Amino acid sequence: MTQTYARLMTLATAALLTLAPYAQAETFKLPPYETYALPNGMKVYLMPQKEVPLLHVTVGIQSGSVLDGAQYGLASFTGDALNLGTKNYTKDKLEDLFDFHGAYFGSAIDQDFTTLQISLATKDADKLLPVFSEILRLPTFPDKEVAKLRDRAVTELKKAKESPNQVADQFFNRLVFDEHPYGTPMGGTPTSIGKLSRADLQKFHASAYRPQNAAISVVGDLDIASMKKLVEKNFGSWSSAATQAKPIANVSSESKGTSRVLLVNKDDASETTFRIGGMGVKRDDQNWIGLQVVNTILGGRFTSLLNEELRVKTGLTYGARSRFEGLKNAGTFSISSFTATETTSQALDLALKTYTGFVKAGVDKATLDSAKAYVKGQFPPRYETSAALSNLLVEMWVYNLSDVIINNFEAEVNNLTLTQANDLIKKHFPVENLDILLIGQASKIQDIAKKYGRVIKTDIVTAQEGRL
């Protein structure tokens, strides 16, 4: 299901954007690339990387789950269904063709955008880029294949609720963002996906998949002049006559006035899965880099304060972490963990005590220096691949990030002062009117939930349908 894949992609890419410049070489810079726009408005990024005779192509479409409207999961399901058949290829023919050439094709969905990706041998570009373009521009969404995919997706969604950690972020976003599209179920619900038809996918594709909303990055063993011709040939004629989807509304900045606790009942749960947090910052926030450093201290590594208190010292959980998730128009901050039902109150109290103590006391220089060293040492080796670079260029386009976010990253980490770090903690780590999500046996933890705020009680089936 795209939701699971998208979540992995989102986390992986966030890590890349956060840690990218901390390569072994201190002078790491983005490799040279060329960027321009086709006459139809599609943005193009070309980056030669000659080490191996491979190409990775990523197309980004600004058509994420924020455009679903009342049809939860529409963007996700559309992205999944693109390769079910095209004007000239059936699903089986597409799979056979990619298998024969050893090519990989995939799609991923986020709140803000969808990506299509293909990895292929350079020698096969003339054969496979036209097919890749056809999947993007001319999907047919055959009824039979859509029905099979729909049945499989509904089954996977129903299974997801058996693992609370798979659905906890979705429920937490719903609590934080209320009725805003960022709070809707990104991968859909069993009911919403079950109702989607071929006509729904065709309509969404016509309105959301437009060259003006798209960018393509090609990274690998390429000649720029030749690749320009190939991109123009396969994507230059793409146009759309349908009405463009309306932009989403801004996220409300009004305070909710009190802490809220979403208590999601799961009768057979032996653990309580929880999230604590609230609004964070947008992905392009000027303080993003500094926030990643200071969050490392709180909950971004094994030796973090949260993990040390909740796992190492007390054994209340196998792990606790915190993170900022940045989106185009908003963001969240969350603490995440789980504990046995009988230790729910103890774990929540300790998590909140550790967190509020961190915000109040701030950090000292030795701890900050340690976090800087840790972050710089976590550069993912996969960032050096064509796939990682291709995906990165598209995300930079989506979030309007300049090369500076990569090329000056290490310098910004090194230059983060103790005063600046503590100012960021005070300003951006929410402490008032925190939102809390609890998934577990309501009969055993509902009295506990009341200690932390106004309780909104529901069951896991209802919550998965996107309703509170």
Side-chain angles (χ1 to χ4, degrees), residues 114 190 211 235 260-261 277 338 351 358 365 376 382 433 450:
T114 296
F235 297 92
R260 300 180 303 163
V261 181
F338 60 95
F358 166 78
K365 187 176 185 303
K376 290 186 289 185
R382 63 181 177 275
N433 304 325
K450 295 175 184 177

Side-chain angles (χ1 to χ4, degrees), residues 59-64 75 79 82 107-110 112-116 209:
V59 170
I61 310 288
Q62 297 197 49
S63 61
L82 290 173
S107 63
I109 183 72
D110 202 339
D112 291 315
F113 66 107
T114 296
T115 60
L116 307 181
Y209 283 64

